[in-house]
Amino acid sequence: MTSRALPRLAPAALLIAAALLAGCAPEPGTAAGPAPDTSASAEAPSPTPAMTVSAEAGGPPPTASGSVVSTTVLPRDCAGILGAPARAALASVPLNDAAFGESGSLPDGSLRCVWADPAADTAKIETTIAYAERNPVIDFFNELTEIGFTCYEPAGGVRCEKTWQNARYPVTDGRTLFFRDGVLIDTQFSHLAPEGYTTGIIASVWPAGAATPAP
């Protein structure tokens, strides 16, 4: 599959999108109750970065510099984001062990999930889900294509992925990113890549029938 340059959203289109989506996006972490926040933007402080980046994996993703227009509510439960096949495959793998630092639902509203045994030399999969601004993400995705990532546009969003040989062990490492509606799902893995992992997360964050804004 050949990647093509992904288009940025023009400033005028950004303004139109903000107007159309005004009043739709709740603040991350807002609890149910009277008078819900109907702001069109979600405050997005810098999220915790996913794993240690490498030359093969590319750099850290861009972090939101302010508010992000989104109609999507970020998930708050790591176990709940998985589809059935990935949940079964990871059933015996420790989730969010303290050895891997802060995880779960973070103060900035993002979600960081780490499946790994701290006693193992390899076998780890880590995902961060956070709000992100479209144009910086698209620029980042275009940069990733220059180091071998393949990008395409499934499920109403943009997906980029790449695998490579681990530098130390005879196992496969990789990274998969998916962006849709102001939300970036960033997964890095080493020798642990359950079938349908990212697809299941996408289906969890955007259930069937959910609105599909332009990617």
Side-chain angles (χ1 to χ4, degrees):
M1 184 181 298
T2 302
S3 295
R4 61 180 177 80
L6 301 166
R8 301 173 95 247
L9 194 62
L14 281 170
L15 293 174
I16 293 171
L20 291 175
L21 293 175
C24 295
E27 293 293 327
T30 300
D37 187 349
T38 57
S39 171
S41 61
E43 291 301 321
S46 299
T48 301
M51 298 185 79
T52 301
V53 296
S54 67
E56 289 283 4
T63 58
S65 59
S67 299
V68 174
V69 174
S70 178
T71 61
T72 301
V73 178
L74 297 184
R76 303 183 66 82
D77 173 36
C78 289
I81 66 175
L82 299 179
R87 188 180 303 113
L90 295 172
S92 62
V93 182
L95 170 61
N96 294 342
D97 190 281
F100 299 111
E102 191 176 18
S103 58
S105 184
L106 303 181
D108 61 25
S110 63
L111 183 71
R112 179 174 181 254
C113 307
V114 185
W115 282 270
D117 185 340
D121 290 330
T122 184
K124 177 181 182 182
I125 186 164
E126 175 176 338
T127 294
T128 297
I129 305 176
Y131 289 116
E133 297 169 271
R134 176 188 161 87
N135 281 349
V137 169
I138 294 305
D139 289 343
F140 178 61
F141 281 5
N142 282 325
E143 291 172 5
L144 291 180
T145 64
E146 297 176 3
I147 59 169
F149 277 75
T150 296
C151 296
Y152 53 107
E153 300 181 31
V158 182
R159 177 168 175 162
C160 293
E161 56 193 27
K162 176 187 176 183
T163 59
W164 59 90
Q165 185 71 29
N166 184 282
R168 183 176 179 185
Y169 299 101
V171 300
T172 299
D173 293 351
R175 185 178 189 181
T176 300
L177 305 99
F178 181 82
F179 178 78
R180 172 177 165 178
D181 188 32
V183 175
L184 179 63
I185 302 171
D186 185 2
T187 297
Q188 294 191 55
F189 61 88
S190 179
H191 195 43
L192 188 61
E195 187 72 23
Y197 177 88
T198 299
T199 299
I201 295 177
I202 293 169
S204 172
V205 177
W206 295 280
T212 305

